[in-house]
Amino acid sequence: MSDSRIPGRDPSRLRSQRWFAPDDLRSFGHRSRLRQMGYAAEEAEGRPVIAILNSWSDLSQCHTHFPERVEQVKRGVWQAGGFPLEIPVLAVSEMFMKPTAMFYRNLLAMEVEEVLRSHPVDAAVLMGGCDKTVPGLLMGAISADLPAIFLPAGPMLAGRYRDQRLGSGTDVWKYWAQRQAGCLEPCVWRQLEEGIARSAGTCMTMGTASTMAAVAESLGMTLPGASTIPAVHAAHARMASGCGRRIVEMAWSDLRPSRILTAAAFENAITTDMAIAGSTNAIVHFLALAGRAGVSLSLDHFDAISRRTPVVANLRPAGEFLMEDLHDAGGLPAVLTRISHLLTLDCLTVNGRTLGENIAGAEVIDDRVIRPLSNPLSPTGGTCVLRGSLAPHGCVIKPTAAEPRLLSHTGRAVVFDSYPDMKARIDDPASGITADDVLVLRNAGPLGGPGMPEWGMLPIPKPLLEQGVRDMVRISDARMSGTSYGTCALHVAPEAAAGGPLAVVQTGDLIRLDVEARRLDLLVDESEIARRLADWQPPARRSNRGYARLYHDEVTQADHGCDFRFLERGGGPGAEAEPEIF
Ligand code: FES
């Protein structure tokens, strides 16, 4: 079938025609191999070729419904006159990859970019959801700059233990602390294991997956309402076929990410992130996405937006509810309606309409879940940026997930040189650690981890847990899970392994945290810090081969998004994408 008689649908303008249209030997090969795959000419040629990039594997625990969803996306593509082809990409599994899934985000992004560039593809549906798959897919698609639509995996059902609803991560940390304190029977722990993850889908607290899905929607990269639909809800299957139908139209109209991802779209998404008290991880991903899109963004933008944005979504870990409650309360369009005075409403989105058009008529159905502006969960945003002598290039903290009394605190540093060092010593009853001390973990950043693992919510020492202590000030160059909580200053930059002051903190030094003043300071004389740094030696590269070597040599610090230097783009929104080079 050819759509050449429909205005604006001239197959000769499709990128895939470079492979299939010419009457030459090479194109004979391409067409004959489509026949080999069982496709007749009228099924494939003259139609937009839609790549469905599926980040599924038998080890991608949150994407177990994707084999079914792929078929529903294909259904939509066929209905709209496209030619769908599934292309598997790296299934970055948050729960099973070591040292951390974050280490492989950039590898997924590179794979996505190259898969799209090298194949006869006109447009793509990006299927992801588990934490790093969202930024990885989007980063690659931004760099390839072909029309793309994101289909979020959707959150899993609420967890259950007896009469209690369990939230991914958040309740695990809570019950683990109880178990360490000797207040939880092993059989209860095993029952929690059975009930905490009850279906396909992503973590159903406002962790990194839920945050990044909301980011994708508020950037304009999903269909309206897509980010909160539970993974096993029938509406999710309908959203999948809807993505399939829409992407064909996007291919014909050449609606590329570079037309959607403007500076204003990023500001909308950061505002949304603050209003939902999103994961601290989002900041690293925002910086990487903006770097790909050529949008100038720094940590200071986040703090400025945080100061003016109330937290209205009452979701764990900062609040009370879970993602299916948010969906039933009206979903993200309802959240956006509530903060619409803070948004730029004329930003273009993947359905060809503006953000304002998409949320017109959206309604908040439950004020307990999406709080009114007169009664927000917090009057200012979910994440703050701190600077000071311990974090000259910045660090982040999520005050909504911390004990308020600790947000202004001075204490004695107790330093752990690495994660194994911390594990070996943290629970030692002879350590003398008190609740007023400040726990410091270093060599856990982008280079040190490597990959900046989610070690930043250092465990409370067991002797203190037994005394009832549940929060302490903790500082690291690591990240923490979006489902975590506590007074944790994270992403300290420069990290210790790159020679930041964190590298030379000594046990016994005093550290002052002052979130109101946005400061994190090592209370040691400047000349003494300089003397210690002059004696400091950088650690050796962890691996001399393969991807690990590339990662070590090219990864940027947390305040630049931890992308590879050679993949950032400085051209600004709308700048020309990489020309076809082969
Ligand atoms: Fe996949 Fe949490 S483990 S989203």
Side-chain angles (χ1 to χ4, degrees):
M1 184 191 85
S2 167
D3 280 319
S4 59
R5 285 167 299 169
I6 302 175
R9 295 190 175 183
D10 176 3
S12 70
R13 289 170 49 203
L14 293 172
R15 177 176 179 269
S16 57
Q17 290 296 293
R18 211 182 120 205
W19 279 256
F20 299 126
D23 183 16
D24 61 17
L25 183 61
R26 181 63 58 192
S27 294
F28 168 86
H30 299 319
R31 289 190 301 269
S32 66
R33 295 306 172 142
L34 286 181
R35 304 293 171 271
Q36 178 187 20
M37 289 156 62
Y39 293 109
E42 58 270 31
E43 288 178 295
E45 290 158 31
R47 295 168 177 255
V49 177
I50 307 299
I52 305 170
L53 301 192
N54 185 3
S55 58
W56 173 87
S57 83
D58 274 339
L59 274 170
S60 62
Q61 71 291 331
C62 299
H63 299 172
T64 52
H65 55 320
F66 273 8
E68 204 182 325
R69 293 291 175 270
V70 164
E71 297 309 316
Q72 289 144 356
V73 174
K74 285 183 179 173
R75 186 176 81 205
V77 172
W78 286 122
Q79 285 167 358
F83 176 32
L85 293 167
E86 180 185 357
I87 304 180
V89 291
L90 182 67
V92 180
S93 165
E94 191 64 25
M95 299 308 286
F96 295 114
M97 295 181 92
K98 290 189 185 302
T100 164
M102 179 65 178
F103 185 65
Y104 295 102
R105 181 200 67 179
N106 295 352
L107 186 59
L108 171 62
M110 290 175 76
E111 184 189 15
V112 167
E113 179 179 351
E114 299 308 325
V115 155
L116 292 178
R117 183 168 291 135
S118 59
H119 287 104
V121 168
D122 296 303
V125 177
L126 312 172
M127 294 182 61
C130 191
D131 288 23
K132 312 307 175 291
T133 58
V134 185
L137 285 159
L138 287 173
M139 287 159 70
I142 291 168
S143 293
D145 202 29
L146 294 178
I149 194 167
F150 192 81
L151 172 60
M156 65 177 94
L157 295 176
R160 200 84 193 172
Y161 166 64
R162 297 171 70 97
D163 63 344
Q164 293 176 51
R165 301 176 90 210
L166 302 175
S168 308
T170 306
D171 282 301
V172 178
W173 320 128
K174 187 177 90 182
Y175 284 108
W176 178 245
Q178 287 184 22
R179 188 173 173 199
Q180 290 292 87
C183 311
L184 196 79
E185 294 298 324
C187 65
V188 175
W189 184 246
R190 277 196 299 278
Q191 286 176 50
L192 292 170
E193 203 170 285
E194 302 293 330
I196 189 88
R198 294 197 302 156
S199 77
T202 52
C203 292
M204 75 324 240
T205 42
M206 187 45 78
T208 305
S210 302
T211 303
M212 291 310 297
V215 165
E217 181 169 340
S218 49
L219 278 171
M221 291 299 292
T222 76
L223 290 176
S227 64
T228 61
I229 304 172
V232 295
H233 196 305
H236 197 270
R238 299 195 296 270
M239 177 58 71
S241 63
C243 286
R245 286 188 293 275
R246 176 60 198 156
I247 193 64
V248 176
E249 299 305 316
M250 289 174 70
W252 286 122
S253 60
D254 202 27
L255 179 51
R256 296 168 182 251
S258 55
R259 288 178 56 198
I260 294 171
L261 298 176
T262 60
F266 274 92
E267 194 165 313
N268 283 342
I270 296 169
T271 302
T272 304
D273 173 38
M274 295 300 167
I276 59 177
S279 163
T280 46
N281 283 326
I283 294 196
V284 182
H285 301 319
F286 265 123
L287 291 164
L289 291 164
R292 295 293 183 113
V295 169
S296 172
L297 202 59
S298 77
L299 284 179
D300 296 325
H301 287 99
F302 294 91
D303 203 64
I305 294 172
S306 171
R307 286 176 189 270
R308 67 174 188 238
T309 308
V311 177
V312 295
N314 182 12
L315 298 169
R316 297 182 213 179
E320 186 182 347
F321 293 97
L322 297 170
M323 284 303 288
E324 64 190 74
D325 305 316
L326 177 60
H327 185 67
D328 293 340
L332 196 72
V335 173
L336 298 179
T337 302
R338 193 132 273 181
I339 57 165
S340 61
H341 60 293
L342 298 170
L343 302 172
T344 302
L345 296 174
D346 60 1
C347 287
L348 184 62
T349 73
V350 286
N351 67 355
R353 302 194 191 100
T354 65
L355 187 70
E357 288 169 331
N358 287 345
I359 65 172
E363 191 187 345
V364 176
I365 293 162
D366 189 339
D367 277 343
R368 295 172 307 155
V369 182
I370 305 173
R371 295 272 194 94
L373 294 174
S374 57
N375 181 31
L377 198 66
S378 162
T380 55
T383 310
C384 298
V385 174
L386 316 176
R387 293 179 196 274
S389 59
L390 192 50
H393 296 175
C395 68
V396 303
I397 192 166
K398 191 171 179 177
T400 46
E403 281 192 17
R405 67 182 173 85
L406 291 172
L407 296 176
S408 174
H409 180 83
T410 301
R412 179 189 76 120
V414 176
V415 180
F416 301 100
D417 258 327
S418 65
Y419 186 70
D421 179 35
M422 187 273 292
K423 278 189 84 173
R425 293 196 290 124
I426 189 84
D427 291 329
D428 182 356
S431 69
I433 300 173
T434 74
D436 290 332
D437 288 339
V438 175
L439 303 177
V440 176
L441 172 66
R442 64 182 166 216
N443 295 313
L447 294 169
M452 217 180 163
E454 293 183 341
W455 296 334
M457 189 178 78
L458 279 73
I460 305 295
K462 205 168 169 181
L464 296 179
L465 282 173
E466 287 163 356
Q467 294 168 28
V469 176
R470 291 293 182 270
D471 197 5
M472 292 174 69
V473 175
R474 290 159 270 181
I475 297 168
S476 73
D477 44 15
R479 297 172 300 114
M480 77 175 182
S481 164
T483 63
S484 301
Y485 51 86
T487 312
C488 303
L490 309 154
H491 311 181
V492 168
E495 65 175 307
L502 192 67
V504 295
V505 183
Q506 296 177 357
T507 294
D509 289 346
L510 286 181
I511 291 176
R512 183 171 57 218
L513 170 70
D514 185 345
V515 174
E516 179 63 31
R518 301 297 198 264
R519 297 288 304 180
L520 181 67
D521 288 296
L522 177 60
L523 303 182
V524 171
D525 205 61
E526 259 179 52
S527 59
E528 170 61 12
I529 296 174
R531 188 194 64 73
R532 292 182 194 174
L533 283 171
D535 287 345
W536 175 82
Q537 292 294 321
R541 192 198 270 143
R542 300 281 287 274
S543 172
N544 276 324
R545 63 187 306 277
Y547 177 72
R549 179 177 181 141
L550 176 72
Y551 185 93
H552 182 279
D553 291 350
E554 296 295 343
V555 73
T556 63
Q557 288 289 288
D559 59 314
H560 286 276
C562 303
D563 199 0
F564 292 153
R565 289 178 189 88
F566 60 89
L567 291 172
E568 293 174 344
R569 187 158 66 101
E576 281 301 301
E578 186 84 7
E580 302 274 3
I581 49 178
F582 301 115

